Amino acid sequence: MASLRVRILVDNSAPLPTRLLAEYGFSALVEDLESGSTILFDTGSTGVALRHNLEALGVDASRVDYVVLSHRHYDHTGGLKAFLEMRGGKPVTVVAHESLFKPSYARIKALGGTLRDIGLPFTRGELEALGARFLLIRKPLKLTENITVSGEIPREWGPTHAWGMLRLEDGGLVEDDMRDDMALYIETSEGLLAITGCGHAGVENIVEYGLSLTSTKSLHGLIGGLHLLGAPRERMAAVVSYLGEKRPKLLAATHCTGPLVQGALAERLGSAYKLGGVDFTCEC
Ligand SMILES: [Fe+2]
Ligand SMILES: [Fe+2]
């Protein structure tokens, strides 16, 4: 019997016919059927898709126990206000990194190197007034017996995926290695299931840290973004090779992973590769 259900609520694409809406960003609903806990991981970029999709699926926002924000980028945090409004003021714990309210910038290559503010689009005060109770962390945090928020992910096993990310330091812009990027680690009977937002911490770091932090011995699956759109070709190949060797049973690399890597992963992993997109659901 399944003890866990993961459903992608917001993603860049809707690859299969669905009544759900897609928008740039990511959000997934994680239901721990054993403990009865429901976790909203990320919120998409505007709240339009999240609100529509929760309603279309008949999910009562007020029954969500925790919101977990993978990192501060707007395409993961921008739906938070709409989600809080859907709860009608009922308080909810929002787990996020300590840097959640720090500004974040990026030079978007595809937009001619334009500098854009890509951080959380709300103030702490306006979110708290709507019921957000922030639990800001750096260390791992266990939400249920089998589900842990990674906290800061050590960068011991591979490079980060943070091309073009900038933060403010002493009044100037410096490269940001996205220390705030966190993953959700789920211990299943078949191994580790990692859920990522953009995967800025780097896929080897996310997976290997998850394996060392939990009691799992192998990678069962990974769902979420890997931030490889526009990455150097050698890095794309290294990621495909690494994940191929891990032999996961389920890989839905989506959101900002990029079509080149998605195609290469599909070829390498065969039926273990899933299209992802809104409405993708798995149980384990
Ligand atoms: Fe993202
Ligand atoms: Fe991001």
Side-chain angles (χ1 to χ4, degrees):
M1 198 184 85
S3 58
L4 182 99
R5 185 182 304 130
V6 181
R7 177 173 231 145
I8 297 181
L9 289 175
V10 180
D11 200 350
N12 302 23
S13 67
L16 296 170
T18 174
R19 63 215 154 107
L20 305 191
L21 294 178
E23 74 176 18
Y24 188 78
F26 186 72
S27 172
L29 192 72
V30 178
E31 292 168 277
D32 185 337
L33 306 175
E34 242 161 54
S35 70
S37 297
T38 300
I39 298 157
L40 180 71
F41 180 80
D42 287 348
T43 63
S45 58
T46 67
V48 174
L50 185 66
R51 184 189 287 270
H52 177 276
N53 295 348
L54 284 171
E55 282 171 359
L57 293 168
V59 177
D60 177 2
S62 68
R63 77 171 170 84
V64 169
D65 301 291
Y66 301 99
V67 177
V68 175
L69 299 175
S70 63
H71 63 303
R72 67 198 194 279
H73 286 159
Y74 77 97
D75 53 322
H76 301 258
T77 57
L80 182 55
K81 195 171 170 184
F83 174 74
L84 295 171
E85 285 167 354
M86 285 183 81
R87 293 172 60 91
K90 184 181 172 192
V92 65
T93 301
V94 180
V95 180
H97 188 270
E98 286 173 357
S99 304
L100 178 67
F101 301 101
K102 298 246 169 79
S104 181
Y105 298 92
R107 283 200 196 283
I108 314 288
K109 242 203 246 171
L111 298 176
T114 322
L115 189 66
R116 284 182 62 183
D117 178 349
I118 58 167
L120 174 77
F122 314 113
T123 64
R124 182 171 186 157
E126 63 188 307
L127 296 171
E128 283 177 340
L130 289 167
R133 299 292 175 262
F134 287 101
L135 185 53
L136 301 181
I137 62 168
R138 279 181 70 180
K139 299 255 162 64
L141 177 73
K142 221 168 174 173
L143 296 181
T144 74
E145 184 61 26
N146 300 315
I147 302 180
T148 303
V149 185
S150 68
E152 259 181 38
I153 296 171
R155 279 75 193 289
E156 289 174 14
W157 299 274
T160 57
H161 297 181
W163 298 277
M165 300 299 152
L166 301 163
R167 65 184 157 83
L168 276 177
E169 200 173 281
D170 301 326
L173 286 171
V174 296
E175 270 184 37
D176 188 357
D177 65 353
M178 300 297 301
R179 285 278 148 188
D180 59 318
D181 186 58
M182 307 195 295
L184 201 64
Y185 293 140
I186 302 169
E187 297 177 50
T188 78
S189 55
E190 297 181 77
L192 175 72
L193 175 61
I195 309 205
T196 63
C198 280
H200 293 298
V203 67
E204 295 93 337
N205 299 323
I206 292 168
V207 171
E208 298 302 329
Y209 186 52
L211 291 171
S212 71
L213 189 67
T214 66
S215 61
T216 55
K217 304 265 184 296
S218 63
L219 180 67
H220 170 63
L222 186 145
I223 299 170
L226 294 178
H227 199 69
L228 290 163
L229 195 63
R233 291 297 177 112
E234 311 75 61
R235 183 64 198 137
M236 294 187 190
V239 169
V240 173
S241 158
Y242 170 76
L243 286 172
E245 279 161 27
K246 286 289 172 189
R247 304 169 73 89
K249 299 275 181 337
L250 158 69
L251 192 86
T254 184
H255 176 41
C256 52
T257 300
L260 294 179
V261 174
Q262 287 173 307
L265 285 170
E267 208 158 285
R268 176 77 186 246
L269 291 166
S271 60
Y273 181 81
K274 310 293 177 195
L275 272 174
V278 283
D279 216 7
F280 168 79
T281 307
C282 70
E283 293 190 343
C284 51

